Amino acid sequence: MSRSYGQYCGLARALDVVGDRWNLLIVRQLLIGPARYRELLDGLGGVATNLLADRLRDLETAGVVERRLAEEGNAIVYALTPWGAELREPVEGLIRWSTPLMARGSGGDRFQVEWLVVGLRALLAHRAVPQASAVGIAVDGRLLQVRSTRSGVEVALHDGRDLDVVVRADAPIVLGLAAGALTLDDVHGLVDVEGDETAARALFGP
């Protein structure tokens, strides 16, 4: 890496690798799934293309990111290495830590629904999601799904499978529900619940 804190400390050396501006947001995008360069550029919203190229090169050199062939077609995609994927835990920890910062709403900041794939998984990690239920969350016309797996809560863009319930709300309300700062009763009239309300309450509380 071109810059280093020069300290023999685990935190300092980790920041040598992922502490530069945009690096952890690149990791966030790749925690959603492997992505083409253009998809990363669109998903990051605001990064300059030459800076993204530099950051990807640094992360690849460090062993956090790798290039591979897409599962379909011959396109090259960027993906996290197994070591890079271990950043999920600290990233999710930072998301949970950020809850007080998110309470004031977007304030005009950019927002993309797919960012909720990582954010909701972090906030719902310790919730007891019923094994048999599949909860859809609709925000800004996009649909996500929350399912319980053996490894914990799985959040993804909807893949077409049946859902027991769909909860429609604005992003700040969804995040508040997931963080436990709000209940469905708190936001009655601001949330539309279509389907098995019991499954929604099991996920988000009363």
Side-chain angles (χ1 to χ4, degrees), residues 45-200:
V47 66
T49 183
N50 60 325
L51 182 58
L52 176 58
D54 289 344
R55 293 294 187 261
L56 285 169
R57 184 166 52 248
D58 287 345
L59 290 169
E60 190 173 2
T61 299
V64 175
V65 168
E66 64 184 2
R67 281 178 284 184
R68 61 173 74 149
L69 280 176
E71 292 183 2
E72 296 181 5
N74 296 318
I76 296 295
V77 296
Y78 291 90
L80 294 172
T81 64
W83 183 54
E86 292 177 14
L87 284 164
R88 179 179 291 280
E89 182 179 351
V91 166
E92 289 187 350
L94 281 170
I95 290 170
R96 288 188 289 271
W97 179 81
S98 77
T99 298
L101 304 173
M102 299 295 285
R104 62 177 182 260
S106 67
D109 286 348
R110 293 184 180 92
F111 169 73
Q112 295 187 26
V113 173
E114 57 264 31
W115 298 343
L116 291 175
V117 170
V118 178
L120 290 179
R121 174 174 162 144
L123 296 172
L124 295 170
H126 305 299
R127 295 288 188 99
V129 183
Q131 284 281 347
S133 68
V135 178
I137 299 176
V139 178
D140 294 347
R142 300 285 301 281
L143 185 60
L144 294 87
Q145 61 190 23
V146 180
R147 299 177 185 273
S148 181
T149 69
R150 291 182 179 179
S151 58
V153 173
E154 174 193 88
V155 182
L157 296 173
H158 186 225
D159 60 10
R161 286 182 287 173
D162 290 340
L163 299 168
D164 296 295
V165 62
V166 174
V167 177
R168 291 183 174 84
D170 292 336
I173 291 175
V174 169
L175 290 168
L177 290 168
L182 298 172
T183 68
L184 286 172
D185 289 338
D186 292 332
V187 292
H188 179 72
L190 299 175
V191 173
D192 178 52
V193 179
E194 180 183 336
D196 182 5
E197 187 171 327
T198 303

